[in-house]
Amino acid sequence: MDLEMNLNASHSMGTTIIGVTYNGGVVLGADSRTSTGMYLTDNVYVCRSGSAADSQIVSDYVRYFLHQHTIQLGQSATSKVAANLIRLLSYNNKNMLETGLIVGGWDKYEGGKIYAIPLGGTLIEQPFAIGGSGSSYLYGFFDQAWKEGMTKDEAEQFVVKAVSLAIARDGASGGVVRTVIINSEGVTRNFYPSDKLQLWHEELEPQNSLLDLLNSSSPEPMNI
Amino acid sequence: MNFMASKQPENSLLGPESDSQRTLYPYVTGTSVVALKYKDGILMAADMGGSYGSTLRYKSVERMKPIGKHSLLGASGEISDFQEILRYLDELILYDNMWDDGNSLGPKEVHNYLTRVMYNRRNKFNPLWNSLVLGGVKNGQKYLGTVSMIGVNFEDNHVATGFGNHLARPILRQEWHENLSFEDGVRLLEKCMRVLLYRDRSAVNKLQIAKITEDGVTISQPYSLKTYWEFSAFENPAQGAIGSW
């Protein structure tokens, strides 16, 4: 048995995904290297990272099972059931799959819940979860800035800020920030293109052209 | 995605491996579990860390769980496999309760069941990647046993998994004695856990101590241990080697 490899490899997956609970539901966020929140059922979404094929097939199966479960149950499925279905597939096929998922949803029994399902198929319920290669840059940020009981807007701004910070530093994450807010009222999807995000360290205000800079008030124009 | 082509050498005695699967390596892991027998039963300690390689990824993982009325199971190793073992045990306890015959599975029986499960998986080259500690009290009899991922199992007055074997057991061999009080037992476990905190890189400073007696299982709330770093040698490490740093 090959025991040497992998014990210390923190598996990078080309994206940043985040799930956060707040005082009325959950907010899921991701960069645009994934397709963000993939719909599992009306009130439960999943963020995918890792192998695109693996995460898609797992999500597809779970959506299929959840649909049948909803019919049989006669009401909306719970986020816990969705998360456990994902866990079953991830755990029982751990040798073949390479996908880390974050499930977030709202149901009338438990309110907003976030479940992380990393490689291997461990299921872990948390107040917030981060995943993907960009998440490495966010552990410190969350340790310092996360707090329990945020409002919906605070939570969403927090997620946008976090994904944006990850994009700034992770080569494999990029583009735009997408969020999905799930609560008792339903689901809201939002989209934040890069130019709407705040600038971080060493990032400059984007311009149309050097010529604009030159033509504007120009002390020492070529010293740029 | 990497293609792990499992190619057998020409002189291999293994049969065709077309459909067989094997767990090759763990992903999210828990570190040491330490346990000892004391006057009224068993005390067990484990930290709440779930490591992902070298990253201390999850810091609130409960690695000790009550099993039935009489037992407590602590696990190190792959957390997803531990969660699966808990499901197997759930089913075992459920069927046991359904007999409704006044008898209930004791720690010795649960330990035996776990040993069979672990050993049989090992024989199929698809182990549950855990080291387990099973403790309990039934009818006044204290029981403390351990099983590893390859099926090695035994009972003793004090046991540990992983690094605990190397760092905690020696302390326990010196300081454990029959009929420890609860306070002495807790202090002894904390001494072990503190050493692990200093020396095991996968240890996390958030732990729980569980006790099991004839009356049942209680698992403490999570808490942290104080550590001491004010050694003069730390403050001025280059004292004996002027010019270095």
Side-chain angles (χ1 to χ4, degrees):
Chain A
M1 275 192 278
D2 182 15
L3 291 167
E4 279 88 83
M5 71 170 282
N6 211 273
L7 220 19
N8 291 315
S10 68
H11 250 91
S12 306
M13 305 165 222
T15 176
T16 307
I17 51 175
I18 298 178
V20 142
T21 56
Y22 73 93
N23 68 10
V26 297
V27 181
L28 297 176
D31 68 315
S32 51
R33 298 286 168 97
T34 71
S35 59
T36 327
M38 192 142 166
Y39 166 94
L40 286 186
T41 181
D42 287 335
N43 51 312
V44 184
Y45 277 66
V46 65
C47 289
R48 307 178 291 117
S49 71
S51 155
D54 287 351
S55 60
Q56 271 177 14
I57 201 73
V58 167
S59 307
D60 284 349
Y61 268 113
V62 171
R63 194 186 308 128
Y64 168 68
F65 292 135
L66 268 181
H67 185 218
Q68 296 185 318
H69 171 67
T70 305
I71 292 169
Q72 202 170 29
L73 196 63
Q75 56 187 40
S76 319
T78 60
S79 46
K80 185 187 280 191
V81 167
N84 274 106
L85 286 170
I86 297 212
R87 181 202 73 90
L88 271 177
L89 287 169
S90 290
Y91 179 74
N92 290 323
N93 296 292
K94 62 163 79 182
N95 295 329
M96 293 186 284
L97 294 173
E98 192 183 300
T99 174
L101 301 149
I102 297 178
V103 178
W106 185 95
D107 56 72
K108 65 187 182 197
Y109 300 105
E110 296 199 286
K113 286 283 177 190
I114 294 287
Y115 297 91
I117 302 143
L119 256 47
T122 310
L123 174 75
I124 187 150
E125 200 246 299
Q126 299 179 281
F128 69 83
I130 57 178
S133 58
S135 67
S136 309
Y137 307 95
L138 297 177
Y139 285 96
F141 175 64
F142 272 77
D143 278 346
Q144 191 246 13
W146 157 262
K147 48 189 169 56
E148 198 82 51
M150 288 193 270
T151 66
K152 177 168 76 108
D153 292 327
E154 278 179 333
E156 208 208 358
Q157 284 319 301
F158 184 73
V159 167
V160 171
K161 187 174 186 180
V163 178
S164 158
L165 280 167
I167 290 173
R169 289 292 184 177
D170 178 31
S173 296
V176 301
V177 182
R178 296 205 184 93
T179 63
V180 177
I181 307 174
I182 313 175
N183 52 34
S184 57
E185 283 145 39
V187 176
T188 317
R189 293 191 220 207
N190 288 322
F191 165 81
Y192 297 87
S194 341
D195 48 329
K196 294 288 175 301
L197 306 169
Q198 68 178 102
L199 291 170
W200 304 117
H201 182 53
E202 285 183 315
E203 291 181 345
L204 298 169
E205 201 65 57
Q207 310 286 345
N208 279 328
S209 162
L210 172 63
L211 305 171
D212 293 340
L213 286 169
L214 295 172
N215 290 336
S216 63
S217 62
S218 42
E220 317 294 313
M222 294 311 279
N223 278 13
I224 295 168
Chain B
M1 176 126 183
N2 55 331
F3 287 90
M4 283 180 278
S6 50
K7 207 166 80 84
Q8 299 175 12
E10 277 183 7
N11 53 354
S12 165
L13 293 171
L14 294 169
E17 36 171 83
S18 41
D19 282 341
S20 71
Q21 292 192 28
R22 39 186 78 184
T23 301
L24 292 171
Y25 33 73
Y27 290 99
V28 181
T29 54
T31 184
S32 323
V33 179
V34 191
L36 46 80
K37 283 187 191 170
Y38 80 109
K39 182 160 58 74
D40 305 327
I42 312 287
L43 281 168
M44 195 186 297
D47 71 20
M48 300 189 76
S51 298
Y52 188 69
S54 57
T55 303
L56 304 173
R57 192 164 183 184
Y58 302 109
K59 297 197 194 175
S60 297
V61 181
E62 286 199 31
R63 296 195 291 114
M64 296 182 296
K65 293 284 184 181
I67 309 294
K69 286 191 287 237
H70 306 283
S71 313
L72 174 64
L73 175 66
S76 64
E78 169 67 53
I79 301 296
S80 64
D81 285 345
F82 174 52
Q83 290 179 341
E84 196 73 358
I85 288 170
L86 291 174
R87 272 161 231 270
Y88 287 147
L89 288 173
D90 243 355
E91 198 178 35
L92 184 75
I93 300 292
L94 181 71
Y95 277 97
D96 183 44
N97 288 340
M98 290 200 319
W99 284 103
D100 200 21
D101 57 2
N103 193 351
S104 45
L105 288 171
K108 206 180 170 77
E109 289 87 59
V110 176
H111 184 225
N112 181 252
Y113 171 80
L114 288 171
T115 302
R116 290 298 103 219
V117 169
M118 301 300 271
Y119 183 61
N120 277 118
R121 288 287 296 256
R122 165 264 192 196
N123 285 341
K124 294 192 276 196
F125 283 94
N126 185 203
L128 288 161
W129 205 286
N130 297 110
S131 288
L132 306 170
V133 172
L134 196 293
V137 188
K138 192 178 171 197
N139 299 332
Q141 294 278 66
K142 302 190 279 259
Y143 186 89
L144 182 58
T146 179
V147 198
S148 75
M149 68 186 258
I150 56 172
V152 171
N153 74 291
F154 53 88
E155 324 161 29
D156 207 337
N157 292 320
H158 48 81
V159 295
T161 68
F163 266 95
N165 274 312
H166 301 105
L167 298 171
R169 293 299 296 290
I171 299 175
L172 293 167
R173 279 182 210 119
Q174 287 270 60
E175 303 192 18
W176 183 90
H177 57 84
E178 203 84 52
N179 289 320
L180 278 165
S181 69
F182 174 73
E183 288 77 26
D184 284 343
V186 169
R187 254 176 249 128
L188 190 46
L189 277 180
E190 285 180 338
K191 189 172 186 180
C192 295
M193 296 305 282
R194 192 174 280 106
V195 171
L196 288 165
L197 233 192
Y198 284 129
R199 294 293 181 177
D200 178 4
R201 76 141 184 213
S202 319
V204 133
N205 195 0
K206 188 164 164 199
L207 63 142
Q208 291 176 301
I209 297 196
K211 105 165 134 67
I212 178 158
T213 62
E214 190 73 53
D215 303 327
V217 180
T218 26
I219 304 181
S220 77
Q221 56 172 243
Y223 73 103
S224 297
L225 286 171
K226 281 199 187 162
T227 50
Y228 180 73
W229 298 92
E230 259 110 285
F231 296 103
S232 58
F234 285 179
E235 289 181 53
N236 193 6
Q239 194 167 41
I242 318 274
S244 76
W245 62 96

